[in-house]
Amino acid sequence: MMYTFKEFSTNAIFNIGNETDLLPFKEAKQCELFTFIWSTSEAVSLVIDNVPLTIPPHSIVALTPIQYLQYLDGKHIIVYQFNREFYCIKDHDQEVSCVGILFFGNINIPIIHLDNAEQQKFKVLHNVFIDELETEDNIQSEMLRMLMARFIIKCTRLLKAKENISASPKSSKVDLLREFNYLVEQHFKAEHSVSFYADKLFKSPKTLSNNFAKLNRSPLQIIHNRIVLETKRQLAYTDKTAKEIAYDIGFDDASHLSRLFKKQTSVSPSDYKKRLKQNS
C-alpha cells in the first residue's frame, strides 16, 4: 500500500510504498525523486546507473532523482520517495541536506546496513511515519519533514561510521551532474550563469549542455529550478516581500525573478503568496 502526502503551498510530495511501487522501474529509468529502498528481510536486486547491485538484507540504499534505477527482484521492501519541495525547501545542515553525504556529496552508491538494534529503531520510526501520514492536520507537513530529517540523520551517521564504503563503477556523466548540482547549491544566490559553473568544473558550457542533454537535464534549467525553489521556500516560510527575496537571491531587478518564477509556475511571486495565505 502506498501512502502519499502532497502539499499545495510548496508542491511537496512524499510517498511511502513497497516493491509494488518499484514495478514501473522494471525497465531502467530515472528515479525523478529522492529515493530510499529498504530491504527489510531479504536481498534486493537492482541496476543503478547501469551497475548491477544486490542490496543485502536489512540494508538501505539512497538514490538521487538523476540516477537511473532498474528493479530486478526482491520482496518485503519499503520505499521512501520525496521531491526537493518536500525536504530540500527547508533549511538543513549541509551533511543532511539534499546535497549531503547520502546524495550528491557521496561519490559511491551509499548502502546503509542495519544491525539488530538499528533494525528495531528504524521499524519504530517507520511506524511513526505511517501514523503521521494517517493523521491529517495543519502541522502534518512539519511532522513529516522532522521525521524525514531524523531518518536522513540516522542514515548519515551510519554511513559515516562505516569505514570502507564499497567502490562501484561510476558514470562520468552522472558524476558531473552531481558535482554541478553541488556547486549550484553552494552558489545559486550569487551566480546564475552556466559559464560560472562550467569554469568551476573546468568544462565549457557547451560540454555541460551536451552531457546533461543525455540525462534529460540542462545546466540552465537546474540553476533556474533551484532559484524558483528558494523563492517558494522564502514565500512560504518568511515574511519577505517578493522584492526582498529577489535581492537575496542575487537579482538587482525584481522583475527578472518575477518573470522566471511565472515562467515556471504560471503565477507571479505575489500571486503565489496570496494563494499560500488563502490555503493556510
Side-chain angles (χ1 to χ4, degrees), residues 237-257:
Y237 296 105
T238 76
D239 294 324
K240 291 181 180 179
T241 65
K243 187 175 183 179
E244 289 171 331
I245 294 170
Y247 289 154
D248 181 63
I249 304 178
F251 288 86
D252 293 330
D253 187 341
S255 65
H256 293 164
L257 175 60

Side-chain angles (χ1 to χ4, degrees), residues 23-36:
L23 293 179
F25 294 93
K26 278 295 186 178
E27 293 186 6
K29 65 177 184 176
Q30 283 182 303
C31 292
E32 296 184 350
L33 298 169
F34 290 93
T35 300
F36 288 101

Side-chain angles (χ1 to χ4, degrees), residues 56-112:
H58 315 299
S59 300
I60 299 171
V61 63
L63 304 175
T64 72
I66 67 173
Q67 288 182 286
Y68 279 80
L69 168 65
Q70 184 178 8
Y71 167 60
L72 300 180
D73 189 41
K75 297 180 180 178
H76 310 298
I77 301 169
I78 294 175
V79 180
Y80 296 96
Q81 291 184 303
F82 60 90
N83 61 1
R84 282 184 174 274
E85 286 80 357
F86 172 73
Y87 183 76
C88 315
I89 198 169
K90 296 303 293 284
D91 292 320
H92 294 288
D93 179 80
Q94 185 169 310
E95 280 196 352
V96 295
S97 72
C98 287
V99 291
I101 292 171
L102 290 178
F103 301 116
F104 295 102
N106 188 70
I107 62 171
N108 302 297
I109 299 171
I111 300 176
I112 302 99

Side-chain angles (χ1 to χ4, degrees), residues 216-234:
N216 301 318
R217 296 289 190 278
S218 80
L220 191 60
Q221 178 188 6
I222 293 170
I223 298 167
H224 286 173
N225 286 349
R226 187 60 185 89
I227 290 169
V228 170
L229 176 62
E230 180 66 15
T231 305
K232 287 181 178 180
R233 185 190 74 80
Q234 295 201 29

Side-chain angles (χ1 to χ4, degrees), residues 40-162:
T40 62
S41 60
E42 63 179 66
V44 177
S45 298
L46 307 170
V47 178
I48 300 172
D49 294 333
N50 293 318
V51 179
L53 194 66
T54 298
I55 312 302
H58 315 299
S59 300
I60 299 171
V61 63
L63 304 175
T64 72
I66 67 173
Q67 288 182 286
Y68 279 80
L69 168 65
Q70 184 178 8
Y71 167 60
L72 300 180
D73 189 41
K75 297 180 180 178
H76 310 298
I77 301 169
I78 294 175
V79 180
Y80 296 96
Q81 291 184 303
F82 60 90
N83 61 1
R84 282 184 174 274
E85 286 80 357
F86 172 73
Y87 183 76
C88 315
I89 198 169
K90 296 303 293 284
D91 292 320
H92 294 288
D93 179 80
Q94 185 169 310
E95 280 196 352
V96 295
S97 72
C98 287
V99 291
I101 292 171
L102 290 178
F103 301 116
F104 295 102
N106 188 70
I107 62 171
N108 302 297
I109 299 171
I111 300 176
I112 302 99
H113 180 71
L114 308 181
D115 61 22
N116 289 335
E118 291 299 336
Q119 289 172 41
Q120 294 305 313
K121 292 176 184 178
F122 273 79
K123 286 178 182 177
V124 170
L125 181 56
H126 176 71
N127 290 335
V128 177
F129 263 124
I130 299 302
D131 182 64
E132 194 57 43
L133 283 164
E134 293 176 342
T135 306
E136 295 185 14
D137 57 25
N138 60 359
I139 60 171
Q140 184 188 36
S141 62
E142 289 301 308
M143 283 295 295
L144 289 172
R145 287 187 174 97
M146 287 171 59
L147 291 171
M148 180 48 66
R150 179 169 175 78
F151 184 93
I152 290 176
I153 288 168
K154 288 176 68 64
C155 287
T156 300
R157 284 174 175 168
L158 291 173
L159 189 63
K160 288 179 68 177
K162 185 179 178 183

